Amino acid sequence: MHLTIEDALMVYPLSEGKLAAGIKGISRTITSINLMDAPDVINWIKEGELLLTTAYAIRDSPEEFVNLLQKLNERGASGLGIKLGRYWTEIPEIALLEADLLSFPLIKLPFEFTFSEQITALFQSEFQRDTRRLNELLETQKKLVDFAMQADEYTNYFQSITSILGHPVAIVSSEGQALYNVTSCSEIELLSHWPWHQDNRFYKAANNLLYRVHLLKNGKSYGYLLVQTENLQEAHDMEGIFHQAAVILSYHLEIIWNQEASAAGSRLGAAMERYLKGNASRETVLEFAEALGSAFWSTPYVCMISSTGADTWDHESQRRRLKEIRDKLQDHPKTVSLESHHFYVMNRVYSLFPIPEEEAKKRRQYENSARLYADLMHAWDHGAGARTCYISKVRMGMEEFIDGFRECAEAERISTELGSSETVVMFADLEFIYLFKHIPKQVMSRYCSYLFRPLLDKDEEYAGEMMHTLEAYFANNGHVNDTARELFIHRNTVLYRLEKISGLLNLDLKNTDHLLLLKLGLMFRHLMPHDRQA
């Protein structure tokens, strides 16, 4: 039971009675009801109990009555109801004064109704109240479901949630920024104990009771929902509703975050275009880049330009295309938790993809991640035209963003000039090669023939295996263990093959001049068509 004394006095037949004293305590909550038929009943009184009596046990001593009131108050009882007429006709003045002093409700019960009738009426009222409350909660749930099903990109999510819950709310981002606040607390008061634990709990801010729910989706934190409530009982009744609202809000916050990221990316793309045309400064571009979020720039990343004949200058088509990319990334298990950014620059899709720090240290590993992103882009563009992805080296920090873009643009230019048919082009593969693009293919062919002929004259399978080992060795910067892992062979096998290659080519792999000769030969082989490789 959770009626207050004031509520109980409005329930018939208790409403036929009268509050005799202790009016300041009418907000005390009744949790249960007890009957007094012995002087030692005080030993069994619990907090919140309403005690009903005929005053039989205290009929001979008003002082005992006062003592009873004091003990009831100490135990946290909600009030005392006395049925006058049998033992007392009036409540002693000393008891009335003490009840007022203690703000302890003292009720004159209607004589013509039994205790049973009055208790039954209170429990029925409580049942009806709970039923109404349950219906209200069900109606709130229905509104939340309707909101979840009908909300779109034009919906004011925060105001809608506030209206449905019927309570003042605040939304705080995972970075500790108040995105929305209609509670009685200021932003400073709301965040007085920031950062918070990622849990759900009640807490007080500026004497206001708030319930905090962590907003999570797919393991990613989108912040917190704070709901201001009048009392703990109300909050406990609504706790399940608050959690449902948080789940729905988390989903829509992801949409909001994507929309904001899209808008920030669009502005950055426009700024980049102005910069390339000489109409904006580098500082301006970096200001727009900062809007993407500082967290992204604190991790290694690669830049990627994707071009296709299906791209268009129509902004609505571009918006749909970028939304499709974001949705696909969210659906793919390897990229679901990825914070990537995509926008258009010079009619090209420009993307920023994070690279794990451990992978960023090893070229072969970061290239594998970068190629995964490129392969995903190709897979989604089936039937949309030939798409080529141009990928920068690993970059770190916002200041390197423009350099990464230039590397992608340079990779596209060089690859186009060389007539490359590769669908994934890494700038790291071209940064030296483009220096030699003016060298005739015949010269490259003669050089490779001179350098690799002793090896290529061997059995075709043997020569192919040895060349593959040599290429893997250079790709892994001369690390034997990494080469062995890539080729799925023992490191001793790698050392044996390298020794054989050194002997056949008469080159020392520990000699930097000889290493340069081999590097040039491998680059030339990469530049030449397969039918012209020696």
Side-chain angles (χ1 to χ4, degrees), residues 352-363:
L352 300 172
F353 288 105
I355 297 291
E357 289 195 22
E358 287 304 313
E359 291 185 14
K361 297 174 183 178
K362 297 180 179 180
R363 175 178 168 182

Side-chain angles (χ1 to χ4, degrees), residues 450-481:
Y450 164 77
L451 185 65
F452 297 117
R453 179 59 61 192
L455 176 57
L456 297 176
D457 281 343
K458 298 292 184 181
D459 175 78
E460 183 177 352
E461 182 178 351
Y462 177 83
E465 186 177 73
M466 289 300 192
M467 287 300 300
H468 186 46
T469 301
L470 187 62
E471 288 170 349
Y473 179 71
F474 272 83
N476 286 283
N477 297 314
H479 295 295
V480 174
N481 289 337

Side-chain angles (χ1 to χ4, degrees), residues 187-348:
E187 181 175 348
I188 294 176
E189 292 168 339
L190 281 177
L191 301 170
S192 58
H193 295 95
W194 183 267
W196 298 326
H197 294 292
Q198 293 186 349
D199 56 4
N200 309 314
R201 63 171 61 188
F202 293 98
Y203 80 106
K204 279 204 168 185
N207 294 320
N208 296 297
L209 180 64
L210 298 163
Y211 186 64
R212 184 174 75 222
V213 190
H214 192 199
L215 301 173
L216 284 170
K217 185 173 186 293
N218 295 325
K220 181 174 181 177
S221 172
Y222 286 93
Y224 299 85
L225 166 66
L226 309 177
V227 186
Q228 182 178 331
T229 63
E230 293 296 326
N231 54 66
L232 279 173
Q233 183 55 48
E234 179 186 46
H236 283 304
D237 289 346
M238 292 282 289
E239 192 169 353
I241 297 293
F242 296 159
H243 282 268
Q244 291 177 31
V247 170
I248 295 171
L249 193 57
S250 297
Y251 170 79
H252 288 294
L253 276 175
E254 182 181 45
I255 294 176
I256 293 171
W257 182 86
N258 286 336
Q259 289 174 347
E260 291 179 349
S262 176
S266 178
R267 290 190 291 269
L268 177 57
M272 178 63 80
E273 285 196 17
R274 294 199 304 273
Y275 171 74
L276 295 173
K277 295 175 181 178
N279 298 324
S281 66
R282 180 185 179 92
E283 289 69 27
T284 299
V285 174
L286 295 179
E287 286 178 10
F288 282 101
E290 189 174 10
L292 292 182
S294 57
F296 180 84
W297 301 116
S298 63
T299 59
Y301 62 92
V302 293
C303 308
M304 179 190 298
I305 287 180
S306 304
S307 61
T308 178
D311 287 343
T312 174
W313 283 104
D314 177 71
H315 293 296
E316 180 59 27
S317 298
Q318 291 182 359
R319 187 186 69 81
R320 287 197 300 268
R321 170 66 185 148
L322 295 178
K323 182 179 184 302
E324 177 189 350
I325 291 174
R326 289 192 297 271
D327 291 344
K328 293 291 187 180
L329 287 170
Q330 286 296 313
D331 291 339
H332 197 280
K334 293 185 179 180
T335 55
V336 62
S337 60
L338 200 66
E339 181 186 354
S340 58
H341 299 280
H342 312 269
F343 42 93
Y344 272 81
V345 180
M346 306 296 282
N347 206 31
R348 297 285 190 272

